[in-house]
Amino acid sequence: MKEEFGIPVRVYIEDTDAAGIVYYVNYLKYMERARTELLRSLGYDKPAMPQEGVLLVVHSAEVQYRRSARLDDALRATAAIGKLGRAAVTFEQKIWRGDELICEGVVKVACVADDSRRPCALPEPIYSALKAVIKEDERR
């Protein structure tokens, strides 16, 4: 998925340190929201799906911080599918302030069985929905 799915994010005082600068870990929270809303846009309300016996958990994250966001900034958090496997999805994510890239990362999310917490295949409906989004984008 080359086209990025994005959501608006406003920086609140709770997101900042004493100097009014966004605390580094909060960028990961913004990325989590973008991934969650991307899945929601595909019809999946929650990233944890105990009714289907699976959970989606962060396997790894690599983040580069380019600029600081500050109190009351209007940001945009994006998520795009970088790679889709049977048991994991890698998302390419960015945080923008207008046209300025302030943070980017690659987050791998793994599917695990709810009872054992061991890796398992993504449920077919989710896998198919993600695969369809990638194929749709490739046709453009």
Side-chain angles (χ1 to χ4, degrees):
M1 176 179 208
K2 296 174 187 85
E3 188 173 312
E4 297 174 322
F5 173 88
I7 61 167
V9 176
R10 176 70 66 177
V11 175
Y12 296 111
I13 197 161
E14 68 190 20
D15 299 325
T16 66
D17 60 17
I21 297 171
V22 172
Y23 185 63
Y24 77 96
V25 75
N26 288 323
Y27 294 100
L28 291 169
K29 292 179 182 181
Y30 303 156
M31 290 178 184
E32 172 84 21
R33 293 176 198 169
R35 288 193 310 275
T36 298
E37 293 304 322
L38 170 58
L39 289 174
R40 188 182 311 278
S41 77
L42 297 175
Y44 297 94
D45 291 340
K46 296 178 179 61
M49 295 167 273
Q51 70 278 10
E52 295 185 37
V54 299
L55 302 170
L56 299 180
V57 299
V58 172
H59 170 276
S60 58
E62 180 182 327
V63 181
Q64 287 96 35
Y65 302 96
R66 307 229 180 260
R67 300 273 186 259
S68 297
R70 297 182 173 276
L71 178 62
D72 207 39
D73 277 352
L75 307 176
R76 182 167 175 79
T78 68
I81 300 168
K83 183 178 177 186
L84 176 63
R86 286 303 300 157
V89 183
T90 301
F91 293 92
E92 296 171 359
Q93 299 204 248
K94 297 177 182 169
I95 308 293
W96 298 89
R97 179 176 45 222
D99 292 335
E100 180 183 26
L101 178 62
I102 62 172
C103 181
E104 63 184 317
V106 176
V107 180
K108 183 176 181 180
V109 175
C111 186
V112 298
D114 185 28
D115 56 356
S116 67
R117 301 297 197 264
R118 298 187 59 81
C120 65
L122 287 159
E124 186 56 40
I126 296 170
Y127 179 81
S128 294
L130 293 169
K131 189 172 182 178
V133 170
I134 292 171
K135 286 190 183 286
E136 247 178 58
D137 190 63
E138 289 174 352
R139 285 181 278 206
R140 291 183 192 161

